[in-house]
Amino acid sequence: MAETSAKAADRRFPEARSTADLPLVDQEILAFWKADGTFQASIDQRPEDNQFVFFDGPPFANGLPHYGHLLTGFAKDVIPRYQTMKGRRVERRFGWDTHGLPAELAAEKALGISGRKAVLELGIDTFNAAARSEVMKYAGEWETYVTRQARWVDFEKDYKTLDIGFMESCLWAFKQLWDKGHVYRDYRVVPYSWAVESPLSNFETRLDNSYRNRTDPAVTVGFRIREGQGELSGAQLLIWTTTPWTLPSNLATAAGADIDYAVMTKDGERYILSANALEKYKKQLEGAQQIATVKGAALENLTYHPPFDYFEGHENAFRILIEDFVTDEDGTGVVHMAPGFGEDDRKACRRAGIAVVVPVDQAGRYTAEIADYEGMLVFEANKPITQRLKEEGKLFRHDTYDHNYPHCWRTDEPLIYKA
């Protein structure tokens, strides 16, 4: 009976394996490449005047690679291999990202501190030294993983974003953009931790389930339409907000073009709010009569008296804008806008030519622009602001609102949104 092919191979080639040990094969190939200098030969054998420049990364080295790094590594490796096969000289330099949140968090953990104030008290030089020592903690493990992927990458001539030359090159590139007029300065509203006096990234707002239930004051306030503007002159435009502390910075309101707004009269006063909100304000509007219904588009550019006069005279301010983001699912269908504390507000006011004001400092306290509450933490100002609105006859309703709200993962204090 004829021998099986496997047995025949074992007899004729005693050193051949009948079954493949693929991990061992991989290691043998990697060992051969290293001993042979195959990667360097692929560079040396190709002319210097036919280069394809490839800088890898950069990942952070203060954490181990995960599958996302490995997967994209395989995809990136295809390009330099293809260019090498075309005869190009490809010196593939690996790189390390040594800036940003991961580097800062590692340094804070090593030093046992947290937040901007603690860093400043410690000293920037001391903090940077700790960050520098932590940031390359797993560089050796990264080299092992990347090499195991069968990738040809030069780790000896690696670059780091903390290198002076690298940072200077970034500044040089930025200056070229500046010189060409491609750089401008503007505001952007971001999550802000007043407790550590630092903006937070969206990534940080998702750390350790930072959103948790919070009860905030909710106020409905009447903004009186200025005189001389037709039948709605003198009526109170009702707005609803869960951030009374932003009302001193109000610069505009927004309505929805296709939303139906009811004009209600009660005790000699007229109120404007979404027709869909009437049921929610049934108690406050008991005995009131609806005398008209108007589309939101009819309210466009009507001006009103702001709830506070801190920015009276602000150019193009205190008028009703029409915006697509306005709905009447919550509140009154009219949105109060303080562009220094809301990104939609900022964009809408910018389109309307209304400049941003940010009368809150790094510690979350009012500046001298809000003289009556200067130095007060904005959350602590909710109560006196609400009381003042009540005393001045502008408060239509006061209740509370339970919602999920982001908190600072370092201090567990509620965030604000601030330009």
Side-chain angles (χ1 to χ4, degrees), residues 84-283:
T84 299
M85 293 170 65
K86 290 181 66 177
R88 309 287 292 277
R89 184 185 182 97
V90 188
E91 299 178 8
R92 313 172 198 180
R93 294 180 59 186
F94 205 73
W96 305 104
D97 188 348
T98 58
H99 287 81
L101 183 63
E104 294 167 12
L105 294 182
E108 287 186 358
K109 184 176 180 181
L111 293 167
I113 63 174
S114 180
R116 177 177 179 272
K117 288 190 292 186
V119 170
L120 293 176
E121 290 171 0
L122 177 70
I124 294 296
D125 290 345
T126 303
F127 182 79
N128 282 348
R132 193 173 287 109
S133 65
E134 287 289 320
V135 78
M136 299 299 293
K137 186 174 182 179
Y138 295 104
E141 286 85 346
W142 269 90
E143 183 171 357
T144 299
Y145 274 97
V146 173
T147 301
R148 184 67 182 81
Q149 288 184 268
R151 293 187 60 195
W152 287 351
V153 182
D154 189 343
F155 282 91
E156 292 184 7
K157 299 177 184 176
D158 60 354
Y159 71 93
K160 305 175 184 66
T161 62
L162 60 78
D163 294 338
I164 297 298
F166 181 90
M167 291 189 285
E168 287 179 345
S169 69
C170 292
L171 292 173
W172 174 87
F174 182 81
K175 186 176 186 303
Q176 307 312 304
L177 295 172
W178 174 270
D179 290 342
K180 294 178 180 179
H182 297 321
V183 178
Y184 64 93
R185 184 177 183 180
D186 199 358
Y187 287 99
R188 182 181 180 187
V189 177
V190 296
Y192 187 84
S193 173
W194 51 269
V196 295
E197 299 186 16
S198 174
L200 273 66
S201 67
N202 289 327
F203 167 76
E204 287 179 280
T205 64
R206 294 190 291 269
L207 282 175
D208 298 326
N209 190 27
S210 68
Y211 276 81
R212 56 184 59 92
N213 191 66
R214 173 181 168 83
T215 300
D216 278 315
V219 295
T220 304
V221 183
F223 292 9
R224 194 173 298 279
I225 303 295
R226 293 182 187 271
E227 297 299 328
Q229 298 183 93
E231 296 179 355
L232 296 179
S233 297
Q236 292 191 48
L237 185 71
L238 297 182
I239 68 96
W240 175 81
T241 180
T242 59
T243 55
W245 65 266
T246 64
L247 287 171
S249 304
N250 171 267
L251 295 181
T253 59
D258 296 323
I259 295 176
D260 289 323
Y261 291 89
V263 182
M264 308 296 294
T265 181
K266 179 182 178 180
D267 299 331
E269 284 281 3
R270 289 172 298 153
Y271 304 98
I272 304 171
L273 72 165
S274 163
N276 287 339
L278 293 176
E279 183 64 26
K280 288 181 286 188
Y281 289 89
K282 185 176 181 179
K283 180 178 179 180

Side-chain angles (χ1 to χ4, degrees), residues 45-105:
Q45 292 174 2
R46 288 158 174 80
E48 293 185 6
D49 61 356
N50 188 27
Q51 291 195 27
F52 180 84
V53 179
F54 183 84
F55 288 86
D56 202 338
F60 286 98
N62 58 353
L64 293 172
H66 55 68
Y67 70 91
H69 295 112
L70 302 177
L71 179 61
T72 56
F74 284 122
K76 286 190 292 185
D77 194 48
V78 171
I79 297 171
R81 284 185 181 275
Y82 173 69
Q83 294 295 334
T84 299
M85 293 170 65
K86 290 181 66 177
R88 309 287 292 277
R89 184 185 182 97
V90 188
E91 299 178 8
R92 313 172 198 180
R93 294 180 59 186
F94 205 73
W96 305 104
D97 188 348
T98 58
H99 287 81
L101 183 63
E104 294 167 12
L105 294 182

Side-chain angles (χ1 to χ4, degrees), residues 265-343:
T265 181
K266 179 182 178 180
D267 299 331
E269 284 281 3
R270 289 172 298 153
Y271 304 98
I272 304 171
L273 72 165
S274 163
N276 287 339
L278 293 176
E279 183 64 26
K280 288 181 286 188
Y281 289 89
K282 185 176 181 179
K283 180 178 179 180
Q284 289 74 30
L285 292 172
E286 184 177 0
Q289 292 185 346
Q290 184 171 348
I291 58 174
T293 301
V294 297
K295 287 289 186 182
L299 303 176
E300 186 171 15
N301 286 325
L302 290 181
T303 60
Y304 61 87
H305 295 280
F308 297 91
D309 61 2
Y310 300 114
F311 298 102
E312 189 69 67
H314 196 73
E315 187 175 4
N316 296 321
F318 312 124
R319 55 195 173 97
I320 303 173
L321 310 178
I322 301 299
E323 295 294 334
D324 293 338
F325 61 78
V326 179
T327 70
D328 57 358
E329 295 176 2
D330 293 316
T332 63
V334 183
V335 178
H336 137 69
M337 292 196 291
F341 306 106
E343 188 61 11

